[in-house]
Amino acid sequence: MMTKPYGKPGDVTELVNSLGWMEEDLSSPDGDRTPEIGHYPLHRRPVEIGSEDMEEEEEEEEVGLDGEKAPKRRGPKKKKMTKARQERFHARRVKANARERSRMHGLNDALDSLRRVMPCYSKTQKLSKIETLRLARNYIWALSEVLESGQSTESLGFVEMLCKGLSQPTSNLVAGCLQLEPSSMLFNNLDEKCGVPGIGGPQGHPITYPSPGLPSPPYGSLEATHLLHLKGFKGANYENSSPNECSSGTPPYDGPLTPPLSISGNFALKREPSPHEAERNFTPHPTHATHYISSHPYPPSSLAGLPAPQGHPLFPGTRFELPLDMAFDPFTPSHIVTSQMSSIYSE
DNA sequence: TAGGCCATCTGGTCCT
DNA sequence: AGGACCAGATGGCCTA
């Protein structure tokens, strides 16, 4: 039978084969994940009346609490649960649970992969799932803006695009990972919201923000003050204010940072960490896709003459897909990326 | 203690 | 029939 190609082959089988702990849990009142039947919340009881596995139910007239006869049940007759049926049902449920766990683990693995290619990946301070997805959307959007309109990755607009719709802690994290320097914050539109013309690229290119359809607070538009919560940040008008004073209680980010790009040294293949970065245990490393994008014309000159790919979101009407591990491996030299792209193009 | 986030179980639906 | 997918519900953990 054909099954959808999700997860690693054998995952389910292995899980099912190693379900000893689950079987134990089912009979153990201490199993916190699969509590003993009877300790289940109503909807979690593994064997529910009404299951399709019921044996034929004898014709019994149901009597309500008030003694009145309940209306005769319509639809397929229920079947009684024989012991054999219970066992089959249970086995099926256990298998399905294992599959579901495996599926969710696969989903989480994919989210982890996504986290690793975000501009603020940290092992110690993981982005939540929802924030990861929001940041990913913003990242794609911001990079496409870079490509399409010359929006500078060093502009505040770029950071604002990245932070659009993110929670304040995540905005702080992103801005911190981008190593915003006070100079990049010294502009007079500090209190303007996203989407206001004037906050844009170096050419004054107005940035138009898409409607993300996100709920408002805490996921509303980016407040410039979000960025002022950066540890050690001192803006022109905030010279004397302590970072803690404008903090809303969000703890400063102290974990090691391994961002793929930096606002102050975006696409340098190698650079020494600034004292500030060193202080924060920040290790700059060559960026990946953004480095490629910044250092290669599109399409790459080495691909000249190849048929244009179709349908890539950044390049309407084209299609361009890179294997994830290649496209986002920050350590893949650009010339290797180029050659790999060539082979993809020529396929 | 409330709220956010997460893992898990579950039953329903769709698909092969 | 069985697997994938989905959404709802629940409890645990953590933090402000």
Side-chain angles (χ1 to χ4, degrees), chain A residues 18-78:
Chain A
S18 61
L19 281 176
W21 63 272
M22 292 193 69
E23 302 298 341
E24 286 171 16
D25 278 350
L26 280 170
S27 58
S28 161
D30 295 328
D32 56 350
R33 293 301 181 196
T34 49
E36 187 182 25
I37 296 171
H39 292 167
Y40 274 84
L42 273 178
H43 79 285
R44 296 179 74 168
R45 295 194 176 134
V47 180
E48 291 284 355
I49 306 303
S51 153
E52 55 187 336
D53 271 352
M54 298 291 169
E55 292 285 6
E56 289 282 330
E57 194 178 60
E58 290 164 20
E59 289 290 333
E60 287 179 11
E61 291 186 335
E62 297 177 9
V63 179
L65 289 173
D66 53 1
E68 290 180 9
K69 284 182 182 177
K72 214 169 188 178
R73 191 199 307 274
R74 294 172 184 270
K77 294 175 181 176
K78 287 187 178 177

